[in-house]
Amino acid sequence: MLFQQIASNKRKTTGILILFVIILALVGAGLGFIWGNRPLLGVIIALIFSAIYMLIVLPNPANMVMSLNHAQEIHEQDNPILWHVVQDMALVGKVPMPRVFIINDPSPNAFATGRDPNHSAVAVTQGLLDMMNREELEGVLGHEISHIRNYDILVSTIAAVLVGVISYLSGIASRYIWWIDDDRDSDNDNGNTIVVIFKIVAIIFVLILGPICASLAQMALSRNREYLADASSVELTRNPHGLISALTKIDGSDPMKAADPSSAGMYIEDPLRKRHGLTHLFDSHPPTSDRIKRLEKM
């Protein structure tokens, strides 16, 4: 059951990333079509923007994310218990010891970030340290080490880059949409009508549907990552009860004040406690009750 769930979630992650690239290509094609009937040029520009943004963000995403969330780096002498739990989970997970940070916030939560296991970091809130026993802390940090081991930290960074590029292209289109050269040959009314229809569809997709689809894909990716990390945490600790108890406590806590909204999807549970109705389409995390049910089956 455990390994089947891990394999299934990895396949879903691959599918969502492919969907991301398709959405990006469609937005680029739409932009190119709007501005000169050159969809291929638009796709190339979108991919180039993505590559440049990726080169800017990927060298050291951990420092940026930790700064946004007001996290302070610690060492073994600062908090030996936390340090040794992280060390134990990293040893079991067969990944290098990540850097360790604490966020001065009373709400229990944690996240991992970085670009790969050799350049990773984990952060926990003071509230998590105050509220969790050793078994629960191991469950939470097993979850975060799993994000590192499964390269979820890289996946989430790539997703953030793609969403950022799509939003940027959509913003450009919204500001300069009226600069479109729309001269047409009056002798070809039927052809012009088809072009106008396609341009209207392209405008709607670039300005509205593209960013919405990208956000939905990012949320789906984040939810899938959480299920995968939950299952992987059980693989590391051999104890689902610690993570179940930790998730129950976290779910019943108040929202965080120190969390940066742009990195909310990285936390083990939504630090802002936002929910968007019954569909959960725009939720950054799956319902805690669903996660606990899956864990109980293990």
Side-chain angles (χ1 to χ4, degrees):
M1 174 65 183
L2 173 63
F3 295 107
Q4 288 177 348
Q5 182 174 330
I6 291 174
S8 174
N9 285 331
K10 285 183 177 179
R11 287 194 297 271
K12 289 178 182 177
T13 296
T14 302
I16 294 170
L17 284 174
I18 291 172
L19 178 61
F20 253 125
V21 176
I22 292 173
I23 294 170
L24 175 66
L26 288 174
V27 168
L31 202 58
F33 184 71
I34 292 169
W35 280 345
N37 298 335
R38 296 180 178 178
L40 181 58
L41 179 61
V43 172
I44 293 172
I45 291 174
L47 293 177
I48 290 174
F49 272 157
S50 299
I52 293 172
Y53 194 7
M54 205 86 72
L55 290 173
I56 294 172
V57 172
L58 280 183
N60 200 350
N63 282 352
M64 178 183 69
V65 174
M66 291 302 176
S67 176
L68 289 172
N69 289 274
H70 311 287
Q72 299 295 319
E73 188 168 7
I74 68 160
H75 301 282
E76 184 176 4
Q77 63 271 21
D78 300 316
N79 194 312
I81 294 176
L82 171 61
W83 185 271
H84 291 151
V85 172
V86 174
Q87 193 174 53
D88 290 346
M89 291 298 99
L91 184 63
V92 175
K94 298 180 180 179
V95 298
M97 175 74 178
R99 296 160 65 195
V100 183
F101 290 75
I102 293 180
I103 302 170
N104 186 21
D105 194 294
S107 179
N109 223 315
F111 71 86
T113 187
R115 76 169 187 262
D116 58 48
N118 291 313
H119 302 85
S120 63
V122 296
V124 303
T125 63
Q126 186 60 49
L128 187 87
L129 297 175
D130 294 340
M131 192 177 296
M132 302 292 162
N133 60 34
R134 173 95 184 193
E135 182 184 47
E136 294 162 343
L137 191 57
E138 286 179 350
V140 170
L141 289 169
H143 174 102
E144 299 308 331
I145 292 298
S146 296
H147 278 315
I148 295 171
R149 188 182 69 159
N150 297 335
Y151 279 80
D152 290 339
I153 53 175
L154 176 62
V155 169
S156 63
T157 301
I158 292 173
V161 167
L162 294 177
V163 169
V165 171
I166 290 169
S167 298
Y168 180 71
L169 293 176
S170 178
I172 290 177
S174 67
R175 286 191 292 271
Y176 299 107
I177 199 73
W178 305 113
W179 291 17
I180 298 172
D181 182 8
D182 212 19
D183 293 337
R184 298 179 185 89
D185 183 358
S186 59
D187 294 333
N188 191 14
D189 290 339
N190 289 336
N192 288 332
T193 300
I194 294 173
V195 170
V196 169
I197 292 173
F198 272 108
K199 285 194 174 182
I200 291 173
V201 172
I203 289 170
I204 292 173
F205 186 83
V206 171
L207 296 184
I208 302 173
L209 296 182
I212 289 176
C213 290
S215 295
L216 288 174
Q218 186 180 35
M219 296 308 168
L221 181 63
S222 177
R223 292 193 297 270
N224 190 62
R225 285 173 54 246
E226 295 308 315
Y227 284 132
L228 175 57
D230 285 347
S232 297
S233 177
V234 174
E235 182 189 6
L236 297 183
T237 64
R238 303 295 178 184
N239 176 20
H241 303 294
L243 184 55
I244 289 172
S245 179
L247 287 174
T248 302
K249 289 182 178 181
I250 294 172
D251 189 50
S253 64
D254 294 328
M256 283 183 63
K257 296 179 181 178
D260 177 70
S262 67
S263 52
M266 295 182 179
Y267 282 83
I268 190 171
E269 179 54 273
D270 183 5
L272 308 177
R273 299 292 185 271
K274 289 185 178 180
R275 289 291 181 261
H276 302 88
L278 298 176
T279 62
H280 301 291
L281 285 176
F282 289 96
D283 292 350
S284 60
H285 293 71
T288 304
S289 58
D290 289 354
R291 295 170 69 179
I292 290 174
K293 286 179 182 177
R294 291 192 180 203
L295 289 168
E296 287 174 341
K297 291 180 180 179
M298 298 180 188

